[in-house]
Amino acid sequence: MNREMFRSISRKFTQNPVLGVNGVRLLGLRSGVGRMIEAFLREIDALDHPFSEVRVYSPQPIGNTVYMPRRGRNVVLRSPLPKGLWEQIVLPTAHGRKGPLFCPSYVAPLFALSPVVLTHHGSYEAYPEGFPWLARTKSRVIFTLSARSADYVSTVSAQSRRDIERYYGVPQSDVSIIPEGVN
C-alpha cells in the first residue's frame, strides 16, 4: 500500500478509520508473504496515513517477535474453523465496516463489508509444475474470485500485473505495482 492508495481508501470513511491486516501469514514459519507483512508493519509509521489504529488479526497470538506500529495491536480471533474459512468468515465479521482490510495473503474475504486491498500474483498458474493439481485448482478458483472482488489489487511487478490480468481477468489498469523493498 502507498500514500495515494491510503488517501483513496480513507475517503470512504468519515473519521478515524481502522486499518485491518490479515496476519495469518505471521504464524509459524514465515515465508515471503509473512516477511512482507512484517516489513509493512515496521514501515507504516513512517507514512502519512489516516488510520487511528492498525489491527493485525490472527487466529492465534503472533508473538513478540513481530514489530507492531505505534497505533498497532494484534487482535486474536480464535476459532475452530480451518484457516480458509477463518479468512472468509471470522476475519471480515470481526473487522466489519471499521476501515479497509489489507489482505496480503492472496485471498480476500469475498463478503467483506469494508474495502479490501489484495496483494496478489499468479505463481500457481505461471508455474503449475511447482504445485499439485488439487492445490492449483482450488487456488485458481479462490484467487480469481478474490482478485475480482477486491476494491484494490496491488502486486510486486509488471510481470505479476500481466499475470493477474491473464489468469484472473483483472485489467492491468486496475492493478497497482508496489515493488517490495530490500532489507
Side-chain angles (χ1 to χ4, degrees), residues 1-2 5-6 9 18-25 33-34 36-41 44 51 54-57 86-87 91 95 99-109 112 114-120 150-156 178 180:
M1 290 175 65
N2 59 25
M5 199 177 292
F6 281 147
I9 293 167
V18 171
L19 175 64
V21 178
N22 180 349
V24 76
R25 296 293 179 118
V33 173
M36 187 277 295
I37 298 169
E38 286 181 296
F40 173 78
L41 293 173
I44 192 169
F51 306 114
V54 177
R55 295 182 184 174
V56 181
Y57 297 105
W86 181 91
E87 288 178 305
L91 173 63
H95 190 64
L101 186 57
F102 180 40
C103 298
S105 306
Y106 315 113
V107 176
S114 292
V116 174
V117 177
L118 179 69
T119 300
H120 209 66
D151 294 86
Y152 302 92
V153 178
S154 67
T155 193
V156 298
I178 303 172
E180 293 179 337

Side-chain angles (χ1 to χ4, degrees), residues 8-159:
S8 175
I9 293 167
S10 67
R11 286 187 202 116
K12 295 184 180 208
F13 300 93
T14 54
Q15 58 184 359
N16 302 322
V18 171
L19 175 64
V21 178
N22 180 349
V24 76
R25 296 293 179 118
L26 294 171
L27 299 173
L29 184 62
R30 292 189 195 107
S31 63
V33 173
R35 291 192 309 267
M36 187 277 295
I37 298 169
E38 286 181 296
F40 173 78
L41 293 173
R42 276 192 309 273
E43 298 300 323
I44 192 169
D45 286 337
L47 296 174
D48 177 26
H49 66 77
F51 306 114
S52 61
E53 186 178 0
V54 177
R55 295 182 184 174
V56 181
Y57 297 105
S58 61
Q60 303 166 22
I62 58 175
N64 296 331
T65 60
V66 176
Y67 172 84
M68 280 292 149
R70 285 189 304 269
R71 293 177 269 177
R73 68 184 176 106
N74 180 210
V75 177
V76 179
L77 305 171
R78 296 189 189 278
S79 171
L81 296 174
K83 182 181 77 167
L85 289 176
W86 181 91
E87 288 178 305
Q88 291 299 314
I89 298 168
V90 177
L91 173 63
T93 301
H95 190 64
R97 298 180 192 272
K98 294 173 183 73
L101 186 57
F102 180 40
C103 298
S105 306
Y106 315 113
V107 176
L110 302 178
F111 302 106
L113 300 174
S114 292
V116 174
V117 177
L118 179 69
T119 300
H120 209 66
H121 63 85
S123 61
Y124 281 83
E125 292 80 7
Y127 305 102
E129 65 278 0
F131 305 96
W133 177 86
L134 184 58
R136 280 194 327 265
T137 304
K138 255 181 14 181
S139 297
R140 176 81 183 247
V141 171
I142 193 68
F143 290 1
T144 300
L145 291 171
S146 293
R148 290 180 181 176
S149 68
D151 294 86
Y152 302 92
V153 178
S154 67
T155 193
V156 298
S157 70
Q159 180 60 51

